[in-house]
Amino acid sequence: MAFESLSDRFQAIIKKVRGQSRLTEANMEEMLKEIRVALLEADVNFRVVKEFVNQVKQKALGQEVLTKVSPGQMLVKIVHDELEELLGADQSEVNLSHRPTIIMMCGLQGTGKTTTSGKLAKLFKNKLHKKVLLVAGDVYRPAAIDQLCTIGKQIDVDVLNMGDKVSPVEIAKKGKEKAIMEGYDVVIIDTAGRLQIDETLMDELVNIQNDVKPHEVLLLVDAMSGQDAVNVARAFNEKLTLTGMVMSKLDGDARGGSALSIKHLTGIPIKYAGVGEKLDDLEIFHPDRMADRILGMGDVVSLVEKVQSEIDEKQARKTTNRFMSGKFDLNDMLDTLQQFNKLGSMGGLLKLIPGMPKISEEDSEKAEKQMKKTKAIIYSMTPEERAHPEIIKNSRKVRIAKGCGMNNYEVNRVLDQYEKMKKAMKEMKSRMGNGRFPGGMGMFR
């Protein structure tokens, strides 16, 4: 995950500082050295590291601040504010006030522009309830148009496909006309990339920008490319008026140095972050929340938003009501696992909750495999067995195990897990008395 190594280093540094009665220039030198090394190892640009350390030192030695809070609290606030500034404290989302809002995607070949265009379309459609039109403007890469059309079908978004014999500029103009005539809210133009920046690529993009006048020009950069991402951003910005960046593969870069350097060095804000290969794996980039994560402070706001967007509230209310009424069968257990699955990996969820222990990727994968086994076993049961687990005796266990390719031990484990959950639900109901969460804080009533 992005910034993982940097996060570990920063948390260790802050833990040391908490033991100091006050911060002075003398006892800060070692800490600042550790911060400098941590940032450089995270592949942050040298000039950015130098300026960052100087800012932290200057602010941390301010006597006015020293008298008000403990050294640990003060350092956390200062480092957090400086990280947020580096990531883009003035972050702004895509402006969707225009109708239609025209977005042009650009970037080098192989960074995933076509897939990211689909991710953006899905985000605008599902979360912001916009009518979106995808425009297939990459006429050079084999199968690029087919790929965008396939994505459009998957997310139920219209795609303008004029084939590969029409110029990209004409396709983009036609996309704008169609959007105006048919009442689309957002137009996303997928453009061609090259293996390296060249005049032909830039001239084509400039012509599209001049003729279509997009409201947003987003550059897709690969977080795994390190500091080369900064050079790509600068080169594109010299020819185009970039309004923002989408950083792909941020989940795959444990260092995250390019994300910490690119806004400071180019002035272009990161607006979205790709955090996986699925079409749902695109997040709005929030510098303040990312600074929280780096310092091990969690990200409760993002967790709440994830729950609100992914969990089926009607089904969750139904399940909760069954819990509170004392009814809990294997169908409910299956539903609970499926709802939880929608939120992502166990390790990823724990990182969003302040104070939660860190689990290894290996342990997270084990937990997810175990969850899949549990679901497979329940699916192997008949509707009657799911509704009445008490009827599952040895002969039924043998049949269930064969049906899902496992053994009796695994079936017994699931049944034991079910009994423990059922017992926990009864105890919860008993403590709550009236079937509501304490203090009237119940999510569902």
Side-chain angles (χ1 to χ4, degrees):
M1 190 65 186
F3 306 113
E4 190 163 350
S5 58
L6 182 61
S7 178
D8 291 343
R9 293 290 294 272
F10 269 156
Q11 289 176 58
I13 293 167
I14 290 167
K15 190 175 181 180
K16 283 185 184 178
V17 173
R18 288 198 174 114
Q20 303 288 337
S21 58
R22 71 191 300 265
L23 293 180
T24 65
E25 190 161 4
N27 66 19
M28 276 189 64
E29 282 306 316
E30 183 63 27
M31 178 202 70
L32 291 172
K33 180 181 177 182
E34 288 185 35
I35 289 178
R36 186 182 297 110
V37 171
L39 289 168
L40 289 171
E41 287 182 351
D43 199 27
V44 181
N45 179 273
F46 177 76
R47 181 161 68 87
V48 174
V49 173
K50 185 178 180 182
E51 292 178 19
F52 181 90
V53 171
N54 286 340
Q55 286 293 318
V56 171
K57 181 177 181 180
Q58 184 180 332
K59 292 181 180 179
L61 291 173
Q63 292 302 312
E64 182 182 349
V65 180
L66 279 171
T67 60
K68 293 182 179 179
V69 295
S70 70
Q73 291 171 324
M74 181 185 68
L75 182 66
V76 169
K77 184 181 186 315
I78 292 169
V79 173
H80 181 281
D81 290 348
E82 290 305 309
L83 283 172
E84 188 179 337
E85 189 65 33
L86 274 188
L87 292 164
D90 56 347
Q91 178 262 359
S92 58
E93 295 179 27
V94 165
N95 182 1
L96 297 174
S97 60
H98 306 278
R99 194 166 189 268
T101 297
I102 302 170
I103 300 170
M104 182 171 84
M105 294 293 299
C106 58
L108 294 180
Q109 186 175 312
T111 51
K113 282 190 309 303
T114 301
T115 302
T116 301
S117 296
K119 289 180 178 181
L120 271 175
K122 186 170 186 180
L123 186 149
F124 292 142
K125 174 180 176 284
N126 291 357
K127 295 189 177 180
L128 302 178
H129 311 294
K130 301 294 183 182
K131 184 181 179 183
V132 185
L133 175 66
L134 284 164
V135 177
D138 184 353
V139 300
Y140 305 110
R141 181 171 67 87
I145 295 173
D146 290 341
Q147 182 188 357
L148 194 67
C149 289
T150 300
I151 291 172
K153 286 180 181 177
Q154 288 175 356
I155 62 176
D156 194 24
V157 166
D158 294 334
V159 178
L160 176 65
N161 174 11
M162 297 180 67
D164 58 4
K165 305 302 180 186
V166 184
S167 78
V169 177
E170 288 303 312
I171 293 171
K173 286 165 68 175
K174 187 67 178 177
K176 180 178 180 179
E177 291 172 11
K178 179 179 174 68
I180 293 170
M181 293 287 290
E182 299 181 22
Y184 286 88
D185 298 307
V186 180
V187 181
I188 301 173
I189 304 170
D190 180 33
T191 65
R194 298 287 191 279
L195 292 175
Q196 59 186 19
I197 296 165
D198 60 28
E199 287 302 315
T200 304
L201 167 66
M202 287 304 179
D203 287 346
E204 188 174 277
L205 294 174
V206 168
N207 289 335
I208 293 174
Q209 186 173 38
N210 290 339
D211 284 23
V212 180
K213 295 180 173 50
H215 304 100
E216 297 277 353
V217 181
L218 301 181
L219 174 69
L220 182 64
V221 292
D222 187 338
M224 301 292 283
S225 65
Q227 290 307 303
D228 191 47
V230 177
N231 299 327
V232 171
R234 281 175 167 161
F236 272 87
N237 203 36
E238 284 175 6
K239 294 284 187 178
L240 302 166
T241 308
L242 296 176
T243 60
M245 282 181 285
V246 181
M247 185 156 278
S248 68
K249 302 177 187 174
L250 198 56
D251 60 312
D253 183 12
R255 297 183 299 174
S258 56
L260 279 167
S261 306
I262 204 161
K263 167 64 168 65
H264 187 76
L265 295 174
T266 66
I268 308 163
I270 302 171
K271 295 197 174 186
Y272 297 95
V275 291
E277 296 179 2
K278 297 177 182 176
L279 291 172
D280 291 311
D281 296 334
L282 187 74
E283 297 179 352
I284 296 171
F285 190 82
H286 297 281
D288 55 339
R289 300 184 196 179
M290 191 58 73
D292 286 347
R293 294 190 201 183
I294 292 172
L295 294 178
M297 297 161 66
D299 185 356
V300 176
V301 177
S302 291
L303 178 60
V304 171
E305 288 180 352
K306 185 183 281 286
V307 170
Q308 288 176 334
S309 64
E310 299 296 340
I311 294 297
D312 183 336
E313 185 177 344
K314 185 177 179 181
Q315 183 61 42
R317 184 184 291 112
K318 179 182 175 183
T319 303
T320 304
N321 287 338
R322 285 178 58 80
F323 288 167
M324 294 303 102
S325 66
K327 297 174 183 176
F328 181 67
D329 60 25
L330 285 164
N331 288 309
D332 299 312
M333 182 175 171
L334 179 63
D335 177 68
T336 302
L337 293 175
Q338 288 171 330
Q339 295 279 9
F340 188 82
N341 247 166
K342 294 178 182 178
L343 298 177
S345 70
M346 183 79 72
L349 287 176
L350 290 178
K351 288 176 185 176
L352 300 180
I353 305 173
M356 289 300 288
K358 180 181 175 183
I359 67 170
S360 68
E361 189 173 333
E362 183 181 354
D363 287 339
S364 180
E365 287 177 2
K366 282 181 182 177
E368 287 173 36
K369 284 180 181 177
Q370 197 63 60
M371 197 178 292
K372 286 180 181 177
K373 280 186 178 181
T374 300
K375 288 163 66 178
I377 289 169
I378 297 174
Y379 279 130
S380 187
M381 297 174 184
T382 65
E384 185 185 15
E385 288 167 345
R386 293 185 206 173
H388 304 283
E390 66 276 5
I391 70 172
I392 302 177
K393 305 303 179 185
N394 191 59
S395 60
R396 290 178 182 265
K397 291 176 185 177
V398 171
R399 193 206 77 250
I400 292 167
K402 284 182 178 178
C404 59
M406 295 184 210
N407 54 44
N408 278 26
Y409 170 80
E410 291 289 350
V411 176
N412 283 327
R413 180 192 57 76
V414 171
L415 292 173
D416 184 56
Q417 185 182 0
Y418 159 73
E419 289 297 334
K420 288 178 180 176
M421 287 183 73
K422 186 178 180 180
K423 183 180 178 182
M425 293 304 161
K426 284 183 179 178
E427 290 175 354
M428 187 186 299
K429 182 190 174 189
S430 176
R431 286 197 299 269
M432 292 173 185
N434 62 1
R436 293 185 176 185
F437 287 91
M441 293 298 287
M443 187 180 295
F444 308 113
R445 298 183 187 169

